[in-house]
Amino acid sequence: MAQSPSSDSPQISKQNFLYPRGRYYGKFTPEYLAFNANLQEFAQKVSYVSALETGGKISSEQAYQQVRSLWKQLKHTKESLGIGQAKPPNT
């Protein structure tokens, strides 16, 4: 007997296809997990921009500006989460 798909199933399947997520294997902290999710989103969006430029849908300059904007967003996220900053020693 075949299972009947839920009403959300096609939408979830579409989301998983368009925005795949990999597992997080690093040291677990909420900040690292959030940054990892943002990093994966950045990589996916850069891939889309690259494909649009390669396909001739946007110019090289537009692609550069979009990737630069995405990079600035990722950098801001990293800084706001405190990733890579020295932590004060425990006293």
Side-chain angles (χ1 to χ4, degrees):
M1 179 195 273
Q3 289 182 321
S4 62
S6 68
S7 61
D8 292 334
S9 182
Q11 184 65 24
I12 291 171
S13 180
K14 181 179 176 182
Q15 288 294 327
N16 288 340
F17 178 75
L18 292 175
Y19 308 106
R21 296 280 183 215
R23 293 184 63 178
Y24 178 67
Y25 292 99
K27 176 183 173 187
F28 178 79
T29 66
E31 293 84 7
Y32 288 169
L33 188 63
F35 182 71
N36 181 266
N38 288 334
L39 184 60
Q40 289 187 46
E41 183 179 344
F42 167 80
Q44 189 67 40
K45 287 181 178 181
V46 167
S47 175
Y48 288 152
V49 170
S50 176
L52 288 169
E53 193 275 332
T54 301
K57 301 297 182 184
I58 62 175
S59 70
S60 296
E61 183 61 30
Q62 288 172 312
Y64 171 79
Q65 291 301 329
Q66 288 182 20
V67 171
R68 184 174 179 194
S69 174
L70 291 169
W71 177 255
K72 285 181 179 182
Q73 290 172 15
L74 183 66
K75 187 175 177 181
H76 175 71
T77 299
K78 179 181 178 257
E79 291 169 354
S80 68
L81 291 171
I83 306 282
Q85 296 176 357
K87 295 185 179 186
N90 293 337
T91 55

